[in-house]
Amino acid sequence: MLRIAQTLHSQLLAAMERAFPEAAAQAEAAGKPLDPQLAAASKPEFGDFQANGALPLAKPLGQAPRQIAAAIVEELAADPGFAELCEAPQIAGPGFINLTLRPELLAAEVEARLGDPRLGVPRLGEGDDDGGAGTPVIVDFSSPNIAKEMHVGHLRSTIIGDSLARVLEFRGHPVLRLNHVGDWGTQFGMLITHLKQVAPQVLETADAVDLGDLVAFYRQAKQRFDGDEAFQTTSREEVVKLQGGDPISRKAWQLLCDQSRREFQTIYDRLDIRLTERGESFYNPYLEAVVTGLDASGLLVVDEGARCVFLEGVSGKDGNPLPVIVQKTDGGFNYATTDLAAIRYRFGAAPGGDGARRVIYVTDSGQANHFAGVFQVARRAGWIPADGRLEHVPFGLVQGEDGKKLKTRSGDTVRLKDLLDEAVERSKADLCRRLQEEGRSEDEAFIEQVATTVGLAAVKYADLSQNRNTNYQFSFDRMLALQGNTAPYLLYAVVRIAGIARKGGDMRAAAAALHFSEPQEWALVRELLKLDAVIAEVEEELLPNRLCSYLFELSQVFNRFYDQVPVLKADAAARPSRLALCRLTADTLKLGLGLLGIATLERM
RNA sequence: GGGGCUGUAGCUCAGCCGGAUAGAGCGACGGUUUCCUAAACCGUAGGUCGUGGGUUCGAGUCCCGCCAGCCCCGCCA
């Protein structure tokens, strides 16, 4: 309904300008043009839209707001285009103008969507939208560290990043999904040094150890690094060798990366997530240029032996400006350097760059300061094009039910693999209990399929349905609870519709002239038509929970409809229209869940 | 010491960038099944939106102070 809203907006604005030409001219001159303040109605009884624009005019015009609203409504009534869209506007409360769309218009919108695989969501580049071909976007997400296992922290980045990428792709933006894996830096110096001493075979033969062993070695290496100065020195030297291209170090590094990569891929396959790996090492050849570039633009300062850029407006513990270090005293580069090189490369023109115009980083909010600093340096160095957007999309911690950082009973971080396994196991146990209670019998393949889909959907949805800015409490019981704002509730709505289709509802042939009479039908129609606005919002705000809320509300409205209005047993006049609503609801839920990376089921 | 995020019903959370009587789920209490999967639906109870000021016709939302929690703060990423 975005297009209708845009039309109404212009009509309202024109009506305001006709009703109050002097005020309009004044407002224009003051740089604050009139605004009808058109918004979706806050309650169903107010209609479809409300315009609040009369209220702020009360003071400058010296008139009662209701009187102003009446004048606007009078002008609207004179607009034949408006009368085609809306019924007679109502003035309510202090001076709100409530608008209700004509039922024929709503029915026509539904009908248009029945034949549209995109369900009314315009695709950039093909649409009448803004004519553009979409903005080249990079979504940087997931980004686990080599030689470490993926844990719950990566879960959020992976799921949120994937969903945002899906939404942007669906809108028609060319999206590059980058996995900025931690495959460079001090940790490799540590690990390789340690392995050379205790398990050299790992560095020479592929598959000598599995990832679990590697993680154990990593832990030992870290322990030595923290307590042993000689080991620290050797490790740092090892990093320099690696970054300098020493063949033995490179080979060891390559083996470690391959090992981890295979392990990560099994998780991505399981979650149906597509990523292009481009680790920190990729930017190694560009690091030097970051330092020289910053020097050339006069931003570089040498302080206590380190090359850094001091930030504006950010002070450290002693009240002095805070530096971003781009080259350490020992000559090594660090993650700020890598991130700066990445920014240049990503905005840079092909072939030596990605040509992106919007770069999105999905990482935990603990890195907010880091990115703010790096972004500032990039901006001051002139590395962000005028039409380029650089956005950190932060998210909160995953906490246990005790409100503390999620840990296993033994106090270790929870491995992502174990977490997914447990979700599927629990979902399977729930399913089997239900089958038994209902006296149903299903084959093993069905049980596996449903348990896997529901379990993974529950994990993803629990994460995505929360506003990402806040920490969230991880609870298997809540996410798999089959009522409320959960994946199973949404999946069940799809299953109910599939049931209708199985029992003889021919939904594909059901799009004759639509006719609705029941309030439950109208409620569903109105909910269905919100999809395009919701997607546009997620595209802009990068908040997948908005899409989740919408799908949950749609499911609620559908379940009410399903409960109170018969479909298959409806009389011949109502049945085709109701089948059409069912079909569009199923299509909308499937599309929406698909954008969240969640698969649906026909039966469960 | 500086910075960021958060504080809304017993619990978990929404609240769309200032708008009408602050919403949902869970939990609690009470109801609904000759009918398309009851994994559903309907109803009741429950909130001085951390706190004190300010701006505004209008504030959970914007500004300032304070309190509490979490996170970050020079050579780890």
Side-chain angles (χ1 to χ4, degrees):
Chain A
M1 284 209 290
L2 273 180
R3 218 168 331 164
I4 295 177
Q6 278 164 12
T7 308
L8 283 175
H9 179 94
S10 334
Q11 290 174 346
L12 277 159
L13 190 58
M16 289 172 82
E17 282 164 352
R18 285 199 302 275
F20 305 104
E22 308 85 18
Q26 263 176 24
E28 190 71 45
K32 281 189 283 181
L34 293 181
D35 180 6
Q37 296 193 15
L38 184 70
S42 56
K43 292 194 173 179
E45 55 266 37
F46 299 150
D48 293 298
F49 294 99
Q50 59 184 59
N52 307 332
L55 291 153
L57 288 177
K59 205 171 186 186
L61 287 173
Q63 290 182 36
R66 286 189 68 109
Q67 201 182 332
I68 295 166
I72 297 170
V73 166
E74 200 174 315
E75 288 297 333
L76 273 178
D79 181 345
F82 175 79
E84 274 174 33
L85 297 180
C86 283
E87 315 213 300
Q90 302 294 312
I91 297 169
F96 302 111
I97 302 171
N98 289 338
L99 305 175
T100 303
L101 294 173
R102 304 184 71 93
E104 317 87 81
L105 184 72
L106 294 173
E109 284 285 310
V110 168
E111 209 163 329
R113 291 189 186 199
L114 285 169
D116 175 8
R118 297 187 55 86
L119 307 182
V121 181
R123 181 184 177 88
L124 296 168
E126 292 173 5
D128 29 19
D129 211 44
D130 50 22
T135 312
V137 185
I138 287 175
V139 184
D140 175 326
F141 69 103
S142 196
S143 308
N145 291 316
I146 298 292
K148 287 193 191 175
E149 278 184 285
M150 291 180 81
H151 54 77
V152 276
H154 300 114
L155 179 69
R156 291 209 88 178
S157 177
T158 305
I159 292 173
I160 294 169
D162 175 59
S163 174
L164 294 176
R166 285 175 191 259
V167 170
L168 292 163
E169 284 158 0
F170 181 66
R171 282 287 281 138
H173 299 290
V175 176
L176 181 56
R177 302 153 158 258
L178 285 185
N179 198 4
H180 190 75
V181 296
D183 64 355
W184 215 234
T186 313
Q187 79 256 29
F188 283 94
M190 278 163 37
L191 186 58
I192 294 175
T193 305
H194 182 62
L195 286 172
K196 275 183 175 170
Q197 294 170 10
V198 302
Q201 74 282 2
V202 176
L203 300 175
E204 290 150 15
T205 340
D207 296 322
V209 290
D210 66 23
L211 187 64
D213 297 326
L214 221 47
V215 169
F217 282 126
Y218 183 88
R219 223 174 269 142
Q220 293 163 15
K222 171 84 176 130
Q223 214 161 21
R224 287 181 69 186
F225 187 84
D226 288 342
D228 180 347
E229 229 167 273
F231 184 80
Q232 269 183 35
T233 311
T234 323
S235 297
R236 293 221 167 91
E237 285 165 6
E238 184 60 48
V239 177
V240 175
K241 273 200 226 164
L242 174 64
Q243 298 187 344
D246 175 79
I248 296 173
S249 297
R250 285 299 278 226
K251 175 158 194 227
W253 171 77
Q254 199 65 55
L255 286 172
L256 294 175
C257 290
D258 288 345
Q259 189 72 45
S260 294
R261 192 171 295 133
R262 274 196 294 278
E263 206 82 25
F264 297 156
Q265 196 54 46
T266 62
I267 300 255
Y268 295 137
D269 287 345
R270 204 169 167 192
L271 292 173
D272 187 24
I273 282 164
R274 203 165 37 73
L275 268 161
T276 301
E277 184 184 314
R278 191 198 279 171
E280 294 167 351
S281 60
F282 176 87
Y283 302 99
N284 191 47
Y286 306 98
L287 298 178
E288 192 71 53
V290 167
V291 178
T292 52
L294 290 173
D295 197 17
S297 54
L299 295 173
L300 199 71
V301 177
V302 180
D303 193 70
E304 294 173 29
R307 290 162 193 253
C308 45
V309 177
F310 283 98
L311 294 173
E312 290 171 345
V314 186
S315 51
K317 285 176 190 167
D318 46 9
N320 295 324
L322 204 68
V324 168
I325 294 179
V326 293
Q327 189 163 25
K328 300 184 281 187
T329 308
D330 65 7
F333 304 107
N334 63 12
Y335 70 128
T337 329
T338 308
D339 282 335
L340 285 165
I343 289 171
R344 295 184 86 179
Y345 192 90
R346 291 168 180 187
F347 280 127
D354 295 313
R357 279 302 169 270
R358 187 177 188 186
V359 181
I360 293 166
Y361 295 80
V362 186
T363 79
D364 68 278
S365 45
Q367 298 192 51
N369 287 346
H370 163 67
F371 280 114
V374 167
F375 291 176
Q376 187 195 114
V377 172
R379 180 175 51 75
R380 286 165 62 197
W383 294 340
I384 307 174
D387 58 347
R389 287 170 81 175
L390 199 49
E391 293 167 274
H392 179 214
V393 172
F395 55 82
L397 251 50
V398 180
Q399 301 176 316
E401 291 183 69
D402 56 0
K404 293 181 181 157
K405 197 170 172 180
L406 189 66
K407 298 268 166 152
T408 62
R409 286 146 299 265
S410 55
D412 297 326
T413 48
V414 179
R415 299 194 308 167
L416 189 44
K417 179 183 180 306
D418 296 341
L419 183 143
L420 298 177
D421 287 345
E422 184 167 356
V424 172
E425 264 167 45
R426 283 176 181 243
S427 131
K428 187 173 179 177
D430 276 351
L431 176 64
C432 291
R433 183 174 43 74
R434 195 174 308 282
L435 290 176
Q436 200 173 6
E437 277 170 14
E438 294 171 7
R440 287 165 63 189
S441 102
E442 299 285 355
D443 59 38
E444 191 56 31
F446 174 87
I447 292 172
E448 274 312 311
Q449 164 78 358
V450 172
T452 304
T453 305
V454 171
L456 297 180
V459 171
K460 285 190 177 186
Y461 190 82
D463 202 317
L464 293 167
S465 60
Q466 194 110 173
N467 184 317
R468 57 174 165 74
N469 290 304
T470 55
N471 294 345
Y472 99 96
Q473 262 189 37
F474 190 94
S475 160
F476 281 117
D477 288 334
R478 269 201 299 274
M479 72 177 66
L480 288 163
L482 310 161
Q483 315 98 6
N485 189 6
T486 64
Y489 180 88
L490 302 196
L491 292 176
Y492 181 60
V494 176
V495 163
R496 283 182 133 183
I497 299 169
I500 293 176
R502 267 199 309 281
K503 292 279 168 67
D506 183 358
M507 295 188 187
R508 293 293 139 185
L514 297 176
H515 175 77
F516 306 113
S517 51
E518 302 300 319
Q520 292 90 341
E521 294 174 304
W522 285 118
L524 189 51
V525 165
R526 293 193 150 91
E527 200 61 35
L528 286 167
L529 295 179
K530 290 179 187 168
L531 178 71
D532 57 346
V534 171
I535 301 226
E537 193 181 324
V538 175
E539 176 189 1
E540 189 52 34
E541 314 270 337
L542 307 178
L543 289 171
N545 68 304
R546 295 279 165 78
L547 178 54
C548 294
S549 299
Y550 168 69
L551 296 174
F552 175 54
E553 279 158 28
L554 176 60
S555 299
Q556 281 185 306
V557 172
F558 172 77
N559 276 328
R560 236 164 261 152
F561 163 85
Y562 180 93
D563 195 64
Q564 295 161 17
V565 180
V567 177
L568 291 178
K569 294 191 174 164
D571 60 54
R575 197 166 178 269
S577 297
R578 290 182 188 169
L579 280 168
L581 282 185
C582 287
R583 172 183 155 192
L584 187 54
T585 303
D587 288 348
T588 304
L589 288 172
K590 285 180 193 167
L591 175 66
L593 286 167
L595 294 178
L596 299 173
I598 293 173
T600 57
L601 295 160
E602 295 292 295
R603 295 195 304 127
M604 62 192 275

